[in-house]
Amino acid sequence: MSLDTLIITDVAPRDGLQNQQIPVSTSAKLRLIQLLHEAGVTSIEATSFVSPKAVPQMADATELMGEINRHLPHLRASALIPNRKGLERAHAAGAREVAVVLSATQTMNQKNINMDLVTATKICEETLHAAQALGLRTRAYVAVAFDCPFEGPTNLDTVVALAERMHQAGAEEIVIADTIGSASPGMVKNHFERLASVLPIKKLAAHFHDTRGMATANAWAAIQAGVRRFDASAGGIGGCPFAPGAAGNAATEDLVLMAERSGLTTDISLPGLLKAVDYAESQLGRTLGGRSIAWLRRQYAADKTAS
Amino acid sequence: MSLDTLIITDVAPRDGLQNQQIPVSTSAKLRLIQLLHEAGVTSIEATSFVSPKAVPQMADATELMGEINRHLPHLRASALIPNRKGLERAHAAGAREVAVVLSATQTMNQKNINMDLVTATKICEETLHAAQALGLRTRAYVAVAFDCPFEGPTNLDTVVALAERMHQAGAEEIVIADTIGSASPGMVKNHFERLASVLPIKKLAAHFHDTRGMATANAWAAIQAGVRRFDASAGGIGGCPFAPGAAGNAATEDLVLMAERSGLTTDISLPGLLKAVDYAESQLGRTLGGRSIAWLRRQYAADKTAS
């Protein structure tokens, strides 16, 4: 990886769809993932092995993972796992990459998974170790890393300490997540400069939501701090069901456009992404798209007609 | 001015309204300006002394300037002037601050004012000198400073040279304008680092449009390069009638929110800005607002009800 390449993990199939009221079929999810892959996206958060009762949209995790392995054997397809049981299900389904989620505040862990922060941290570490023992690639989220919907501003020392714990537990990528979309570029600069002083920057990723219209500015601040790995979702689909006030994810097309216009590469095709957004719109029955979508649609209208 | 204070010139009454099809009355413009001033905006681009035939929306420039001087004697109210004749009209109307516009490419000057770049530069210099002789405060725009709709990428050397010429001609503020909203934060960083190496950064201002959804990221890149003066328009109203593909201006509320969340101050009230946006909506009969407007409206719903 050149320092001038952004690696984007498209989280539309998981973080994007998880909160959508309209059920999306397994074949439609596979099609969306295929379109993203065809656009040049090499890393996708595909599904989540959580309780189907809690998140009905992810009830087909085993089936979808099987389809991905059959049709897209070279794709980095990540599966979210809440614990060891989730890991076992993910492994049985053939997942090659899993992600654990650790919230950085007491209350968020209590509300989300009914555990205190110490226990949640320990569970994540154990799950990471178990995943590695199975030969799986691992990611670890540090959620509500800027603000918690219940506690307010998150303590940066805690965020740094938890990120270090996840790093020591072997997570190959540590995703610093602005779960409720409250971060500003000044906060992002401060967070990642601190994190980069104790952790290898190439292992850090940034995950933003566009709630306050600052996702793109935040991504730029992270890039300037040396971050090259980002979560984003095609069309900006998304939101966290457990975090009041959360809105869509940073849109993949916005990040790709900003990166390419700023001299970085992503190897992701913007017309290809638009096809994926079009497809997601047809499945969800509503208009999607990041901040640049109107301009992109005008710009690539000719390509679309020709294809 | 502290280095941690952003000075925002709200251009909604001029750049914002200029391109709107619905005629806005002089009293409505004054009301919008009053609401912006009440929100804490201390610098406003109020009108433009151009040909009423070319820009009918600005035909009331003389009357509006009189009203502003009567009702808001302490407001920095700037008037755009195309040439000496515009200056004379602005001065006769009581304007205390005027702005000249110099496009950074041959073709844009030809299309916009039917002059070559050398002549346009000379006219701007003469107009600045004449304005200063009259005791007026002056701003100079360097337009299409990133890309020209006719010529493509603008030569940065030319932008720097023109900005220097405007500085030498006494312009108290030189506004680097992304007229068609094509700039990226990488380009902004590059432009302002170069400009700051030859000009005092405190005299430079940045003017962005949100065509490609990057206005906020661009503003952050400019802030990081040391820029503290910005143009923006409440509700993101705007667009340039002579530049194909241009969209709304960077929204004042987006810049204020980003600045305040990033540890800078603006002395502008967000609930106050929302009142101005509401008023502009009532006059233009359509929904307005920057990228953060949905979140801001939810956030300040209580304040609005209470006021």
Side-chain angles (χ1 to χ4, degrees):
Chain A
M1 178 181 87
S2 151
L3 263 186
D4 291 320
T5 300
L6 287 198
I7 305 291
I8 294 177
T9 297
D10 198 296
V11 299
R14 203 284 305 172
D15 199 7
L17 292 183
Q18 168 173 292
N19 203 23
Q20 305 299 313
Q21 296 306 311
I22 294 177
V24 178
S25 71
T26 309
S27 63
K29 289 176 186 171
L30 180 67
R31 183 71 190 129
L32 175 60
I33 291 168
Q34 281 174 321
L35 287 168
L36 290 170
H37 189 56
E38 283 168 20
V41 177
T42 56
S43 173
I44 291 175
E45 190 174 79
T47 187
S48 148
F49 287 87
V50 286
S51 156
K53 276 178 210 156
V55 190
Q57 189 72 273
M58 298 291 126
D60 64 349
T62 295
E63 193 188 346
L64 179 60
M65 197 50 82
E67 291 293 313
I68 291 168
N69 283 339
R70 204 160 12 252
H71 296 283
L72 301 163
H74 302 299
L75 177 68
R76 266 186 64 194
S78 173
L80 222 66
I81 51 169
N83 48 34
R84 287 289 285 272
K85 196 180 158 203
L87 171 62
E88 282 157 26
R89 286 178 60 210
H91 182 58
R96 284 160 282 126
E97 177 168 328
V98 290
V100 298
V101 180
L102 177 59
S103 293
T105 67
Q106 288 290 359
T107 318
M108 192 68 184
N109 281 295
Q110 289 292 359
K111 298 263 182 186
N112 201 350
I113 53 171
N114 198 26
M115 280 180 201
D116 63 28
L117 180 54
V118 171
T119 311
T121 307
K122 207 156 159 276
I123 296 281
C124 282
E125 286 172 329
E126 289 171 5
T127 309
L128 287 170
H129 289 137
Q132 288 146 25
L134 294 167
L136 306 187
R137 197 178 183 284
T138 54
R139 307 177 91 206
Y141 279 89
V142 179
V144 295
F146 295 89
D147 288 283
C148 170
F150 309 106
E151 295 189 14
T154 304
N155 188 312
L156 178 51
D157 291 336
T158 306
V159 173
V160 172
L162 296 177
E164 279 189 292
R165 290 277 291 269
M166 296 301 101
H167 178 56
Q168 283 155 12
E172 285 155 84
E173 201 169 320
I174 298 124
V175 191
I176 307 302
D178 176 25
T179 310
I180 60 167
S182 69
S184 71
M187 292 157 72
V188 170
K189 180 179 192 290
N190 194 38
H191 265 51
F192 280 102
E193 285 176 357
R194 266 288 301 283
L195 284 158
S197 72
V198 294
L199 286 165
I201 190 79
K202 68 188 168 84
K203 294 218 165 178
L204 296 174
H207 174 111
F208 297 117
H209 286 256
D210 204 24
T211 318
R212 302 190 195 188
M214 278 184 256
T216 311
N218 288 340
W220 180 252
I223 288 170
Q224 289 303 102
V227 176
R228 292 295 179 270
R229 295 181 183 276
F230 288 86
D231 278 6
S233 90
I237 317 170
C240 169
F242 306 109
N249 289 78
T252 307
E253 59 271 25
D254 289 350
L255 262 54
V256 169
L257 181 63
M258 178 177 70
E260 304 272 340
R261 290 283 293 169
S262 292
L264 297 108
T265 58
T266 61
D267 297 323
I268 297 172
S269 146
L270 285 164
L273 271 182
L274 287 185
K275 283 186 198 172
V277 175
D278 287 345
Y279 183 75
E281 285 191 342
S282 75
Q283 293 301 307
L284 293 172
R286 64 182 179 90
T287 300
L288 300 169
R291 306 304 189 173
S292 62
I293 197 81
W295 182 83
L296 288 173
R297 287 201 188 286
R298 286 197 303 274
Q299 184 72 7
Y300 294 110
D303 301 47
K304 221 173 127 185
T305 312
S307 69
Chain B
M1 179 179 87
S2 151
L3 262 186
D4 292 320
T5 300
L6 287 198
I7 306 291
I8 294 178
T9 296
D10 198 297
V11 299
R14 203 285 304 172
D15 200 6
L17 291 183
Q18 168 171 292
N19 203 24
Q20 306 298 315
Q21 296 306 309
I22 293 177
V24 178
S25 70
T26 308
S27 63
K29 289 175 187 171
L30 180 67
R31 181 73 191 128
L32 175 61
I33 290 167
Q34 280 173 322
L35 286 168
L36 290 170
H37 188 57
E38 283 168 20
V41 177
T42 55
S43 172
I44 291 175
E45 191 174 80
T47 189
S48 147
F49 288 86
V50 287
S51 156
K53 277 178 207 155
V55 190
Q57 188 74 273
M58 299 291 126
D60 63 348
T62 295
E63 193 189 345
L64 180 61
M65 197 51 81
E67 291 293 313
I68 291 168
N69 284 339
R70 203 161 10 252
H71 296 283
L72 302 162
H74 302 298
L75 177 69
R76 264 187 65 196
S78 173
L80 222 66
I81 51 168
N83 48 35
R84 288 289 286 271
K85 196 182 157 200
L87 171 62
E88 282 157 26
R89 285 178 59 210
H91 182 57
R96 282 160 284 127
E97 177 169 329
V98 291
V100 299
V101 180
L102 176 60
S103 295
T105 67
Q106 287 290 356
T107 318
M108 192 69 183
N109 280 296
Q110 288 292 357
K111 297 263 181 186
N112 201 351
I113 54 171
N114 198 26
M115 280 180 202
D116 63 27
L117 180 53
V118 171
T119 311
T121 307
K122 208 157 158 276
I123 296 282
C124 282
E125 288 172 329
E126 289 171 4
T127 309
L128 287 170
H129 288 136
Q132 289 145 24
L134 293 168
L136 306 186
R137 198 180 183 282
T138 54
R139 308 177 90 206
Y141 279 89
V142 179
V144 296
F146 295 89
D147 289 283
C148 170
F150 310 106
E151 295 189 14
T154 304
N155 188 312
L156 178 51
D157 291 336
T158 306
V159 173
V160 173
L162 296 177
E164 280 188 291
R165 291 276 292 267
M166 295 301 101
H167 178 57
Q168 283 156 12
E172 284 154 85
E173 201 169 321
I174 299 125
V175 191
I176 306 302
D178 177 24
T179 310
I180 61 168
S182 70
S184 70
M187 292 156 71
V188 169
K189 180 178 193 289
N190 195 37
H191 265 51
F192 279 102
E193 285 176 357
R194 266 289 300 286
L195 285 158
S197 72
V198 294
L199 286 166
I201 190 78
K202 70 187 168 83
K203 294 218 166 179
L204 295 174
H207 174 111
F208 298 117
H209 285 256
D210 204 26
T211 317
R212 303 190 194 188
M214 278 184 254
T216 311
N218 288 341
W220 180 252
I223 288 171
Q224 289 304 102
V227 176
R228 293 294 180 270
R229 294 181 184 275
F230 288 87
D231 277 6
S233 89
I237 318 170
C240 170
F242 306 108
N249 287 78
T252 307
E253 59 271 26
D254 289 350
L255 263 54
V256 169
L257 181 63
M258 177 176 72
E260 303 273 339
R261 291 283 292 168
S262 292
L264 297 108
T265 57
T266 61
D267 297 324
I268 296 172
S269 146
L270 285 164
L273 271 183
L274 288 184
K275 283 187 199 171
V277 175
D278 287 346
Y279 183 75
E281 285 191 341
S282 76
Q283 293 302 307
L284 293 171
R286 63 183 181 87
T287 301
L288 300 169
R291 307 304 190 172
S292 62
I293 196 81
W295 182 82
L296 288 173
R297 286 202 188 284
R298 286 198 302 275
Q299 185 72 7
Y300 295 108
D303 301 47
K304 220 172 128 186
T305 312
S307 70

